[in-house]
Amino acid sequence: MDLPSRKITFVQEFLKLQDEEIITRLETVLKNENAFAIEETLVPMSLTTLQEMIDQAAHDFQNGKHVPMAALISKFK
């Protein structure tokens, strides 16, 4: 069976489930697998790049390129 067919079969079986515990376990597996896949693609930042970003942030702050904390808090309330 090819992958698209397997996915359709899986979804059909999933839709038939009535046991919330099984659905929760499947959600956990999917979440963990997605997180693992993302972690595998991450590349550590070099110290040089980190320092450049810090320098740029300090420069931006000194030149008024920032949003006050109070504005951020009120925006997300």
Side-chain angles (χ1 to χ4, degrees):
M1 186 182 305
D2 64 341
L3 184 58
S5 298
R6 289 175 55 200
K7 289 166 64 175
I8 290 170
T9 301
F10 180 83
V11 169
Q12 288 171 338
E13 291 301 314
F14 179 81
L15 292 173
K16 292 178 191 176
L17 287 174
Q18 298 299 316
D19 187 333
E20 190 171 340
E21 183 179 327
I22 293 172
I23 293 172
T24 300
R25 289 194 326 241
L26 289 171
E27 287 172 332
T28 301
V29 168
L30 183 60
K31 181 180 175 184
N32 290 342
E33 289 298 318
N34 285 338
F36 182 73
I38 290 170
E39 285 179 19
E40 285 187 325
T41 64
L42 296 177
V43 177
M45 183 184 303
S46 71
L47 288 176
T48 303
T49 302
L50 176 61
Q51 188 60 52
E52 289 170 355
M53 291 177 73
I54 291 170
D55 291 344
Q56 183 64 50
H59 180 266
D60 288 347
F61 183 78
Q62 289 171 351
N63 291 301
K65 290 184 175 180
H66 66 281
V67 177
M69 181 66 76
L72 287 174
I73 290 171
S74 66
K75 179 179 179 178
F76 292 104
K77 275 189 176 182

